[in-house]
Amino acid sequence: LKRGEHNRLAVKKEGKGKEKHGRVSLHSSKMSSHTEYGSTSWELCVIVDHQYEEEQKEFGIRVSGDLHIGGVMLRLVEQIKVSQDWSDYALWWEQKNCWLLKTHWTLDKYGVQADAKLLFTTQHKLLRLRLPNMKTVRLKVSFSSVVFKAVTEICKYLNIRRPEELSLLKPSGDSVKKKKKKENKDPVIDDVLNLDSSPVISGLPASPGLYSKTMTPVYDPVNGMPASATVTWFSDSPLSEQNCKILAFSQPNCSPELLAQMYQPRSLLEKAKLNSGWLDSSRSLMEQNIQEDDLLLLRFKYFSFFDLNPKYDAVRINQLYEQARWAILLEEIDCTEEEMLMFAALQYHVGKLSSSSENLNFTAEGEADEVAVALSNLEVALEGGKTDKILEDITDIPKLA
């Protein structure tokens, strides 16, 4: 009897051992299957917007949630197999309307999952800008930077100091509708000046531009006199020759026929709509649904001007004057009769000086005379007398005699 019980116990233990071994082998086979098929990875869909190809191509990349954005772009470039400079490309998440610019962040940290569709596109794109003098320029602007920084880059390229005074404005829908209805296009507006060969765009260091960081004038190596301000400013800039005159000098008035074709707000509501299109300075252009080659207006938004200097601010002062002139011509602002007469008098003198070829040629002698005039005015002021100059400061408000 004892031998029979012992045999039965041995059989039971053997059966339990086989069952346990079967469970372990089944569990190990499940683990091997998970490892084989990669349960922690998934396929990410990325659309490549190549600047040299018309059609966009879609690529699928096998990624995991702990992979950082830089690694995603690296795998994508290796899969594209095109040798070029990809430094200006970044990932845009259209569903969330945001750029994935922090390359050290992981996909899990951004919240990117398998249902996301990313766009691999350039950060700098062409944009049409209508300046305050109604001239339209086409240049490359950063669509990934906030508007404040983008305006700073634009002003640096156009040689305009104090970029915090300006911002970008969407044209009102009424003006766009009226322009589509017009068959005859206004050459004052529709002439586009292409400035897309900027050194800032191509990634090269920018030219010294209109002004230096220390505000120190450049001197002529021949005679030692201060060099002509305007000529020196534009000598190393792509805005040389005719482009300099377009930005820094007032252009002739357009005919009444062309002025009638331009959009003019008639009611208070239409005038209010003009200021409803200001872009948010803390968000990028792409985040505000601005597409490549769209038209935006570059305007002075804050009329609190600081450090206006005719020696360094030729473009800035002229654009400010042009914005005021066109605002009056298009009846965008209300003004009194006295203010209109004052501005008409200023406009007459500005137009007369701009049309005179003698005043457009800045000589070293004229630059040297500025020091003598300043010393003379200082001497008269210390003696308690009155200087000959009507306006000692450019920010002084003129008055009718």
Side-chain angles (χ1 to χ4, degrees), residues 173-394:
D174 296 332
S175 61
V176 176
K177 290 178 183 178
K178 182 174 181 180
K179 188 177 179 182
K180 288 182 179 179
K181 291 180 181 179
K182 295 291 182 181
E183 295 179 358
N184 298 326
K185 295 183 179 180
D186 184 4
V188 177
I189 294 180
D190 291 324
D191 280 344
V192 179
L193 183 63
N194 285 304
L195 303 176
D196 56 343
S197 59
S198 167
V200 178
I201 297 161
S202 58
L204 299 176
S207 62
L210 193 65
Y211 57 94
S212 63
K213 293 182 179 179
T214 58
M215 297 295 292
T216 305
V218 181
Y219 291 90
D220 193 332
V222 179
N223 51 22
M225 291 300 203
S228 173
T230 306
V231 175
T232 303
W233 291 339
F234 289 98
S235 59
D236 296 329
S237 173
L239 300 177
S240 57
E241 298 178 358
Q242 72 272 14
N243 298 340
C244 164
K245 295 182 179 180
I246 292 175
L247 297 180
F249 300 111
S250 178
Q251 302 298 310
N253 294 331
C254 63
S255 62
E257 292 78 12
L258 294 178
L259 188 63
Q261 296 178 11
M262 301 175 67
Y263 172 72
Q264 299 181 15
R266 298 300 181 184
S267 63
L268 185 62
L269 180 61
E270 292 179 353
K271 292 180 181 179
K273 284 183 179 180
L274 295 176
N275 292 316
S276 65
W278 289 106
L279 298 183
D280 189 350
S281 298
S282 62
R283 300 171 62 199
S284 66
L285 293 175
M286 286 277 280
E287 292 173 347
Q288 303 182 64
N289 298 322
I290 304 299
Q291 304 299 325
E292 186 174 5
D293 208 34
D294 280 357
L295 176 65
L296 293 178
L297 311 180
L298 180 66
R299 294 290 184 269
F300 287 90
K301 184 178 182 180
Y302 303 103
F303 298 100
S304 179
F305 307 107
F306 173 72
D307 190 22
L308 279 173
N309 192 330
K311 191 177 184 65
Y312 303 102
D313 295 322
V315 177
R316 180 182 171 205
I317 294 173
N318 180 63
Q319 295 299 322
L320 176 61
Y321 160 74
E322 290 288 342
Q323 180 170 330
R325 181 169 77 98
W326 282 103
I328 295 176
L329 289 175
L330 299 178
E331 301 180 8
E332 295 178 356
I333 59 173
D334 297 326
C335 54
T336 63
E337 184 178 357
E338 182 179 356
E339 291 172 340
M340 286 189 289
L341 290 174
M342 171 59 66
F343 195 86
L346 292 174
Q347 184 178 354
Y348 169 76
H349 286 286
V350 170
K352 189 175 181 180
L353 290 174
S354 299
S355 60
S356 175
S357 59
E358 297 178 359
N359 292 280
L360 297 181
N361 296 326
F362 297 93
T363 60
E365 182 181 355
E367 296 287 341
D369 289 342
E370 291 182 2
V371 180
V373 171
L375 291 174
S376 177
N377 291 336
L378 178 61
E379 182 180 359
V380 174
L382 291 175
E383 293 176 356
K386 224 176 182 183
T387 60
D388 297 334
K389 296 180 70 174
I390 299 176
L391 295 177
E392 286 296 331
D393 188 4
I394 194 172

Side-chain angles (χ1 to χ4, degrees), residues 33-74:
S33 64
H34 289 324
T35 307
E36 181 181 354
Y37 291 101
S39 61
T40 59
S41 65
W42 36 274
E43 188 168 335
L44 178 64
C45 177
V46 181
I47 300 174
V48 178
D49 183 16
H50 203 286
Q51 58 180 343
Y52 301 114
E53 296 181 4
E54 296 181 358
E55 296 182 358
Q56 298 178 345
K57 294 183 179 180
E58 185 174 329
F59 291 87
I61 311 173
R62 201 77 189 175
V63 296
S64 58
D66 57 353
L67 181 64
H68 52 80
I69 300 298
V72 174
M73 292 192 293
L74 180 60

